[in-house]
Amino acid sequence: MHRTQFATWSISTPLTTTKKTPPPDAAGEGGKGWYNQPQSISDCTILTNRKDGFSMRFDKRESKKSKSGYTWRVTFEYKDRYGKKKKYSKSGFPTKKAAQVHAAAVQSDLAKGLVVDNTVHTVDELFQQMIKLPGYSPNTISLYRDNYNKHILPVLGNADIKELHYPELQSFFTDMSTVGKSAVATTKTVLTGIGNLAVKSGYIASWPINLVQTSGVNHSRKKAGSSDYLSETDFKSLLNLVSHAKDEFTSGSKGVFLMLGYYLGLRIAEACALTWDDVDFQSRTIRINKQLTYTRLKVKDFYIRDMTKTEKSNAVLPVPEPLIESLKEWRDYNPYPLILCTEEGRWLHPRNTGNTIRTAAQKLGFDFHPHMLRHTYITNLVLAGTDLKTVADLARHASAAMSLQVYTETTDLRKAEAIARAFEDEIPNILA
């Protein structure tokens, strides 16, 4: 009998026999794992796991589709990561060696705690599972679904997640180089979530999305050299222009919207969901615990959802003096429960509001988008010397690294000012 080593398995190629009784020299093993054997000594190999006694079988099978007239199958039992006994079987290998290589790979996956059934888990299947997970707002789901249907589904939707590695992912993003940078960034975020779910589910050991390099076309209407930082001077000019438009009440709401973003860093869906019950004028705080759901809905169908973007987003924030005084004045003028609303008390449309303010900013000679207020809020905290943990708490970020990495990109002017402050001492004349 031929005997070799296969990880923790002892391999036995039995002599020709049609009985379940093992050959005499295998009697010491009690015959465990033996089956009716084919009539050829090379038609079947059985491995017995020395630890748990489970058997692994390689056998040759007739195949009309194969050029050689046969293929090989591997079958074995195992315990999954929950201790449940299962059976694995896969056929169609052209040689016994190919079947053994596959079996070794499966055993390696088992050792890593991965799911090793032959079920194909597609990108589309995982995406549909991902957006049902808690923590995603309707606005975010709508954004992700639009991006997925346009960019990911046509190319990767039917792909088995186990077959996607760095080369496939990098090729996918390379082909997206002509797409807008914002769409590319959202696509990477969606694929990150899909891959992370696959890892947690045990379908793959790792997801190399962070190794991928991305690019894209800058479709932003920003002027060259502009940034996501809004200076105090520009903010006050914009606030004055927006607040004194023709529709006095709605313009006042839009002015308050600007202040909520600038002084508290609120996201647009959070600001539009605020009610007067959320403001404590005595303690000078505002409670953030809900957001407006509006994406792809008509105004009459907007609704407030008692949940913010992340668990960390729920907070009670201290309100600066300029904002608390403005809110007091606005409360005397606004009789409705909503802080931001039209003269009829209806929802203030986030997208239309952003477009109106953007148009006003362009008249003043600079660019604007609503999230720019949040960038400015966090950047001002950093520039004021606030420690990063406090910045992250006030910004309601999951980590200080997120605040520092994403939101502290200052303009060249601010960088120059920082250098000037750092080296403001008079330099001696070295040529004197």
Side-chain angles (χ1 to χ4, degrees), residues 130-203:
M130 183 190 80
I131 59 176
K132 293 178 182 178
L133 295 174
Y136 292 111
S137 72
N139 295 332
T140 300
I141 291 174
S142 179
L143 173 66
Y144 285 2
R145 190 184 295 279
D146 288 345
N147 177 278
Y148 173 80
N149 289 338
K150 183 175 182 179
H151 299 293
I152 302 175
L153 179 61
V155 183
L156 301 177
N158 292 327
D160 185 350
I161 195 70
K162 295 188 289 293
E163 301 300 324
L164 294 179
H165 308 287
Y166 168 76
E168 290 79 21
L169 292 173
Q170 183 60 71
S171 177
F172 171 75
F173 278 102
T174 299
D175 290 342
M176 285 192 71
S177 60
T178 58
V179 178
K181 287 185 177 180
S182 177
V184 172
T186 302
T187 299
K188 189 172 183 180
T189 299
V190 173
L191 281 174
T192 296
I194 289 173
N196 289 343
L197 177 58
V199 171
K200 293 176 182 178
S201 300
Y203 304 148

Side-chain angles (χ1 to χ4, degrees), residues 5 101 172 180 182 195 227 239 280 285 326 336 351 357 368 381 383 398:
Q5 293 299 313
V101 169
F172 171 75
S182 177
S227 73
L239 179 62
D280 188 331
T285 60
S326 294
Y336 301 108
R351 185 174 295 106
I357 299 175
F368 174 86
L381 290 175
L383 292 175

Side-chain angles (χ1 to χ4, degrees), residues 292-347:
L292 180 66
T293 298
Y294 63 92
T295 305
R296 302 175 74 175
L297 297 176
K298 295 181 179 179
V299 175
K300 65 181 181 64
D301 297 322
F302 288 2
Y303 64 94
I304 287 180
R305 188 167 184 250
D306 291 330
M307 175 182 177
T308 47
K309 184 174 181 180
T310 65
E311 183 177 349
K312 186 77 172 180
S313 298
N314 289 274
V316 175
L317 299 177
V319 183
E321 181 73 19
L323 178 57
I324 200 72
E325 293 303 320
S326 294
L327 287 174
K328 287 179 180 178
E329 295 179 10
W330 182 242
R331 180 184 56 174
D332 293 338
Y333 191 71
N334 175 7
Y336 301 108
L338 286 171
I339 294 179
L340 304 181
C341 59
T342 65
E343 191 168 4
E344 297 78 20
R346 294 195 294 265
W347 304 107

